[in-house]
Structures are given as C-alpha cells and as structure tokens.
Amino acid sequence: QGRLVESGGGLVQPGGSLKLTCVASGFPAATWSMNWYRQAPGKERDLVAQITSLGGVAVYADSVKGRFTISRDSTKTKLYLQMNSLKPEDTAMYYCNWRYNGVDYWGQGTQVTVSS
C-alpha cells in the first residue's frame, strides 16, 4: 500500500518562507494527481496546489497564487511545496495527497504556524 511521509513544517514569522517535502513509496506506475491540501482549525480541508506525476501545468488556489510553488522530482517519489511571503491566514495542517481513479492516499500532515 502506498505511503506518504511529510516534513518541513514549523513556526515562521509573517513574510517568511518554508519548504514542505512529501516522500512517497509503494505506489504503482500510473498517472497520479499529486496534491497539497491544508486544514485550519474549524475549517474544511482545502486544495492548495496540484500537479500530475507526468508534469503538466500546476494548479493553485487563488489565495496562494504568486506565493506558493508546487513541484516534483524526476523519480516521482517526492513532492514539494515552496511557500514564500507567508501570512497568518496560511496557518494550518498541511497534507500531501496522491489520487488515482478515485482512490486517495494521505500523509500524516505537517503543521505550519505563521505568527509574530
């Protein structure tokens, strides 16, 4: 069964940067949608950014366009989220997600807190 392990979260000042990493293992060869979601306390889990295992055009939530960048490595085993110009409203638990044919796999989440 596929597994996802996230890292890179932490406490950062407003305007600062963080880079999240998700390492994947045990996934079959296929065209996967590779995604970052986030969930703040009392709110729904929302899609932040998306890319496919083949590459293609990345898709971003309006709230993070111009600040966040999603990317993957050439082996398709790592997914990254570079977060710049962080705001307090970016504070959330961030999750990586692999999706294929309606089947979802989730990481354990990594906490990002933006506060002065």
Side-chain angles (χ1 to χ4, degrees), residues 2 12 16 20 35 39 53 67 69 77-78 83 101 104 116:
V12 65
L20 307 184
N35 313 285
Q39 186 170 24
S53 60
R67 300 188 297 120
T69 303
T77 59
K78 296 183 179 68
M83 305 185 293
N101 198 29
D104 285 288
S116 58

Side-chain angles (χ1 to χ4, degrees), residues 58-104:
V59 177
Y60 299 93
D62 287 343
S63 59
V64 307
K65 286 181 179 177
R67 300 188 297 120
F68 290 12
T69 303
I70 188 171
S71 61
R72 62 165 179 82
D73 74 340
S74 61
T75 68
K76 305 174 184 179
T77 59
K78 296 183 179 68
L79 184 69
Y80 305 99
L81 186 67
Q82 178 65 51
M83 305 185 293
N84 299 323
S85 301
L86 284 161
K87 305 174 180 179
E89 52 262 44
D90 295 318
T91 295
M93 186 73 73
Y94 284 71
Y95 300 89
C96 61
N97 164 270
W98 261 233
R99 179 177 295 123
Y100 175 73
N101 198 29
V103 178
D104 285 288

